Amino acid sequence: PLAERLRPDTLGDYVGQERVLGAQTLLRSLLESHEIPSLILWGPPGCGKTTLAHIIANSSKKNGTRFVTLSATSAKTNDVRDVISQAQNEKRLFKRKTILFIDEIHRFNKSQQDTFLPHVECGTVTLIGATTENPSFQVNAALLSRCRVIVLEKLSVEAMEAILMRAVRSLGLQVLGQGNQHGTPATGSSSKSSEFPVYIEEKALNTLAYLCDGDARTGLNGLQLAVQARVAAGRTTPLSATERGAADGILVTEEHIKEGLQRSHILYDRAGEEHYNCISALHKSMRGSDENASLYWLARMLEGGEDPLYVARRLVRFASEDIGLADPLALTQAVAAYQGCHFIGMPECEVILAQCVVYFARAPKSIEVYRAYGNVKECLRMHTGPLPPVPLHLRNAPTRLMKNLGYGKGYKYNPMYKEPVEQDYLPEELKGTDFFKERKS
């Protein structure tokens, strides 16, 4: 794959992540001085985690350090123990350091991660883990405290354009701008396999940089797919001069790029942190009465493959937590939306959720009930000693013994009285308590 062929070997060729790897940054200084600490590289797919590990591997080998790679998707605990055993021998016999790179480290369970602890602690191995999941949730706290977490962000459009231009030069393509042709002669691998030189529109590269959503792997593979498809079509179908963009040439346009990607590459992980980030953003946008932002975050989740019933369940909760008695019909709307999603599923139910979300964003908000119930729970938690018994007059008395014990004695049946009934319903110790007024800010 093109993404693998173009993987850089040195920090000088590494594009993006200027915040953590730019000039004068701590991590870059450590890498250039070959002082590699134990690291957890956390970032979205295609942001450069494995590439950074590849660069460290090349650098460490020149410095005499062993570099061992394992993938948590296929490696077992015994594989890790074998690597650690070899690292102990190398350190004892040859004073040689070992760097162990674990790709997708979040796939290891807690007990498997514990295998690293003593060996990272004493320096037998330097651990570098790569993960797309939040290490706060997926990596043992003890192991996390022994590693430095490096947060890599999705690549910017500018970084993606630089990566794609490098790919264009590697493939030997020529770039066609707005009426101007520029680039190197078509001497790359694609032109060699084609009877004609291959051109690509500058606008097509810009579009691809946007559509891949900061994922370099998606961008490079999308470019490779589009070029291969056009070259194959050029062999089997005569292309007009207009299609080629020049006589005896093959042209890759913006439409060919879009056709290869089908749609914008949306980063969303139903089981990962992005799942919680997006539902939090949706909740806060509705709470803030921003209907546009609410619809946006809803679409991010649904278009990314989220279960619509999960969103519907969260809306039921929102109806009582944030709207409450300010609009009692909100709960009815939420339950109806859940039932509608259950009946018809995606994609037809997306408009049902959209209606509910906009309704909630526009609805008045009240946390009166939510806060009052919180006060009741706090009252129960803070109570010392046995909880007060239910007052006798509030107890049912279905048997003669219970009546003789005073159950229900003195209770006033409210519907029998025309005037309001003076009667206590709280235990004696809590008489006069108003949970709706307590602890208000």
Side-chain angles (χ1 to χ4, degrees):
L2 183 61
E4 185 64 30
R5 295 209 312 266
L6 293 182
R7 197 182 293 281
D9 296 322
T10 63
L11 276 176
D13 295 331
Y14 191 84
V15 178
Q17 310 303 341
E18 292 297 318
R19 190 176 63 83
V20 295
L21 278 173
Q24 308 303 320
T25 57
L26 175 63
L27 181 59
R28 193 180 189 96
S29 301
L30 290 172
L31 296 181
E32 289 176 343
S33 64
H34 306 291
E35 295 293 333
I36 311 297
S38 290
L39 303 171
I40 299 293
L41 305 176
W42 171 33
C47 70
K49 301 184 296 297
T50 305
T51 296
L52 183 55
H54 181 75
I55 291 171
I56 294 173
N58 288 337
S59 175
S60 61
K61 288 173 183 176
K62 295 176 184 177
N63 199 40
T65 303
R66 290 177 70 242
F67 192 95
V68 182
T69 299
L70 292 177
S71 175
T73 58
S74 57
K76 298 180 174 61
T77 306
N78 286 339
D79 299 325
V80 176
R81 290 188 177 128
D82 290 342
V83 171
I84 291 173
S85 178
Q86 294 171 12
Q88 289 171 330
N89 293 335
E90 291 282 341
K91 184 180 180 183
R92 185 178 66 255
L93 299 175
F94 307 109
K95 308 298 182 185
R96 193 178 179 199
K97 297 179 181 178
T98 298
I99 297 176
L100 174 57
F101 174 60
I102 304 291
D103 200 10
E104 307 291 344
I105 192 171
H106 60 273
R107 299 287 187 127
F108 277 153
N109 59 38
K110 301 300 183 183
S111 62
Q112 288 174 312
Q113 292 179 25
D114 284 340
T115 308
F116 302 115
L117 285 177
H119 309 291
V120 172
E121 180 74 31
C122 68
T124 300
V125 294
T126 298
L127 177 66
I128 299 179
T131 177
T132 56
E133 304 292 339
N134 190 331
S136 299
F137 304 138
Q138 302 295 336
V139 179
N140 278 6
L143 183 59
L144 205 58
S145 70
R146 291 163 172 80
C147 302
R148 181 180 179 88
V149 177
I150 304 299
V151 181
L152 303 181
E153 301 171 343
K154 67 169 65 174
L155 295 172
S156 65
V157 173
E158 292 75 18
M160 279 305 312
E161 288 175 343
I163 292 170
L164 291 173
M165 284 305 300
R166 181 190 294 168
V168 164
R169 290 192 294 270
S170 172
L171 293 172
L173 308 181
Q174 294 189 51
V175 181
L176 295 178
Q178 296 178 348
N180 297 319
Q181 178 177 320
H182 54 90
T184 57
T187 58
S189 57
S190 288
S191 62
K192 289 180 181 178
S193 62
S194 171
E195 299 176 8
F196 305 109
V198 182
Y199 303 89
I200 185 168
E201 290 180 343
E202 183 178 16
K203 186 179 181 182
L205 289 176
N206 295 337
T207 298
L208 181 57
Y210 276 95
L211 289 182
C212 63
D213 195 29
D215 187 334
R217 188 179 295 106
T218 296
L220 291 171
N221 291 342
L223 174 64
Q224 183 179 23
L225 179 64
V227 171
Q228 288 175 340
R230 293 301 293 155
V231 169
R235 289 180 186 152
T236 58
T237 306
L239 300 177
S240 66
T242 303
E243 281 183 298
R244 297 171 188 166
D248 298 328
I250 295 174
L251 177 63
V252 180
T253 67
E254 182 183 24
E255 290 305 314
H256 299 138
I257 291 293
K258 288 181 177 180
E259 183 182 2
L261 287 180
Q262 293 298 316
R263 63 184 178 94
S264 176
H265 176 71
I266 296 178
L267 172 64
Y268 188 77
D269 184 356
R270 286 176 56 178
E273 195 204 9
E274 198 69 6
H275 164 87
Y276 299 103
N277 289 343
C278 285
I279 195 63
S280 175
L282 172 60
H283 198 126
K284 290 178 172 63
S285 299
M286 291 188 298
R287 180 184 293 154
S289 299
D290 189 329
E291 58 194 49
N292 292 290
S294 301
L295 277 179
Y296 173 81
W297 293 116
L298 173 68
R300 275 278 292 269
M301 298 182 75
L302 296 181
E303 295 301 310
E306 181 58 80
D307 178 8
L309 291 180
Y310 169 77
V311 180
R313 286 193 295 270
R314 299 308 305 166
L315 293 178
V316 173
R317 165 73 182 192
F318 184 91
S320 288
E321 178 180 339
D322 287 271
I323 297 177
L325 296 180
D327 183 356
L329 288 177
L331 185 57
T332 304
Q333 287 275 342
V335 174
Y338 180 89
Q339 290 176 328
C341 292
H342 180 69
F343 290 155
I344 63 176
M346 283 289 287
E348 288 83 357
C349 73
E350 59 189 14
V351 70
I352 297 175
L353 291 174
Q355 174 183 326
C356 188
V357 162
V358 172
Y359 183 99
F360 285 2
R362 294 177 177 178
K365 309 298 188 296
S366 170
I367 60 169
E368 180 185 24
V369 174
Y370 176 72
R371 185 166 51 192
Y373 189 71
N375 290 337
V376 174
K377 290 197 296 184
E378 184 180 359
C379 172
L380 292 173
R381 283 194 300 266
M382 300 300 294
H383 186 84
T384 56
L387 290 173
V390 177
L392 287 175
H393 69 281
L394 296 180
R395 303 185 191 185
N396 279 334
T399 67
R400 180 173 299 180
L401 173 62
M402 297 169 81
K403 289 180 181 179
N404 293 337
L405 291 175
Y407 283 32
K409 186 177 182 180
Y411 172 68
K412 299 175 181 177
Y413 184 61
N414 302 70
M416 294 179 61
Y417 296 84
K418 294 181 179 180
E419 302 297 329
V421 175
E422 293 293 330
Q423 189 167 227
D424 293 326
Y425 300 96
L426 281 170
E428 184 66 28
E429 295 91 324
L430 298 176
K431 188 175 180 179
T433 301
D434 188 344
F435 294 110
F436 290 88
K437 292 184 178 178
E438 281 189 352
R439 306 172 185 85
K440 279 190 177 181
S441 58

Coordinates of all heavy atoms in Angstrom, one line a residue, residues 84 113-125 143 146:
I84 N 10.6 -10.1 27.0 CA 11.2 -9.6 28.2 C 12.4 -10.4 28.6 O 13.4 -9.9 29.1 CB 10.1 -9.5 29.3 CG1 9.1 -8.4 29.0 CG2 10.8 -9.2 30.7 CD1 7.9 -8.3 29.9
Q113 N -1.4 -6.3 30.7 CA -0.7 -5.1 30.9 C 0.2 -5.1 32.2 O 1.3 -4.6 32.2 CB -1.6 -3.9 31.0 CG -2.3 -3.6 29.6 CD -3.3 -2.5 29.7 OE1 -3.1 -1.6 30.6 NE2 -4.3 -2.4 28.9
D114 N -0.3 -5.9 33.2 CA 0.5 -6.0 34.4 C 1.9 -6.7 34.2 O 2.8 -6.5 35.0 CB -0.3 -6.7 35.5 CG -1.4 -5.9 36.1 OD1 -1.3 -4.7 36.0 OD2 -2.3 -6.5 36.7
T115 N 2.0 -7.5 33.1 CA 3.2 -8.2 32.8 C 4.4 -7.2 32.6 O 5.5 -7.5 32.9 CB 3.0 -9.0 31.5 OG1 1.9 -9.8 31.7 CG2 4.2 -9.9 31.3
F116 N 4.1 -6.0 32.1 CA 5.1 -5.0 31.8 C 5.6 -4.3 33.1 O 6.8 -3.8 33.1 CB 4.6 -3.9 30.8 CG 4.1 -4.5 29.5 CD1 2.7 -4.3 29.2 CD2 4.9 -5.1 28.6 CE1 2.3 -4.8 28.0 CE2 4.5 -5.6 27.4 CZ 3.1 -5.4 27.1
L117 N 4.8 -4.2 34.1 CA 5.1 -3.3 35.2 C 6.5 -3.4 35.8 O 7.2 -2.4 35.7 CB 4.0 -3.5 36.3 CG 2.6 -2.9 36.0 CD1 1.7 -3.2 37.1 CD2 2.7 -1.4 35.8
P118 N 6.9 -4.5 36.3 CA 8.2 -4.5 37.0 C 9.4 -4.3 36.0 O 10.4 -3.7 36.4 CB 8.3 -6.0 37.6 CG 7.3 -6.8 36.7 CD 6.2 -5.8 36.4
H119 N 9.2 -4.7 34.7 CA 10.3 -4.6 33.8 C 10.4 -3.1 33.2 O 11.5 -2.7 32.9 CB 10.0 -5.6 32.6 CG 9.8 -7.0 33.1 ND1 10.7 -7.7 33.7 CD2 8.6 -7.7 33.2 CE1 10.2 -8.9 34.1 NE2 8.9 -8.9 33.8
V120 N 9.3 -2.4 33.1 CA 9.4 -1.0 32.8 C 9.9 -0.2 34.0 O 10.7 0.7 33.8 CB 8.0 -0.5 32.4 CG1 8.0 1.0 32.2 CG2 7.5 -1.2 31.1
E121 N 9.5 -0.6 35.2 CA 10.0 0.0 36.4 C 11.5 0.0 36.5 O 12.2 1.0 36.8 CB 9.3 -0.6 37.6 CG 9.7 0.0 38.9 CD 9.1 1.3 39.2 OE1 8.0 1.6 38.7 OE2 9.7 2.2 39.9
C122 N 12.1 -1.2 36.3 CA 13.5 -1.4 36.5 C 14.3 -1.1 35.2 O 15.6 -1.1 35.3 CB 13.9 -2.8 37.0 SG 13.6 -4.1 35.8
G123 N 13.7 -0.7 34.1 CA 14.4 -0.4 32.9 C 14.8 -1.5 32.0 O 15.7 -1.3 31.1
T124 N 14.3 -2.7 32.3 CA 14.7 -3.8 31.4 C 14.2 -3.6 30.0 O 14.9 -3.9 29.0 CB 14.0 -5.1 31.9 OG1 14.4 -5.4 33.2 CG2 14.3 -6.3 31.0
V125 N 13.0 -3.0 29.8 CA 12.5 -2.6 28.5 C 12.0 -1.2 28.6 O 11.5 -0.7 29.6 CB 11.4 -3.5 28.0 CG1 11.9 -4.9 27.8 CG2 10.2 -3.5 28.9
L143 N 0.6 1.2 35.1 CA 1.5 1.3 33.9 C 1.5 2.7 33.4 O 2.5 3.2 32.9 CB 0.9 0.3 32.9 CG 1.7 0.2 31.6 CD1 3.2 -0.2 31.9 CD2 1.0 -0.8 30.6
R146 N 4.0 5.1 34.8 CA 5.4 4.8 34.4 C 5.7 5.2 33.0 O 6.8 5.0 32.5 CB 5.7 3.3 34.6 CG 5.7 2.9 36.1 CD 5.6 1.4 36.2 NE 5.8 0.9 37.6 CZ 4.9 0.9 38.5 NH1 3.7 1.4 38.3 NH2 5.2 0.5 39.8

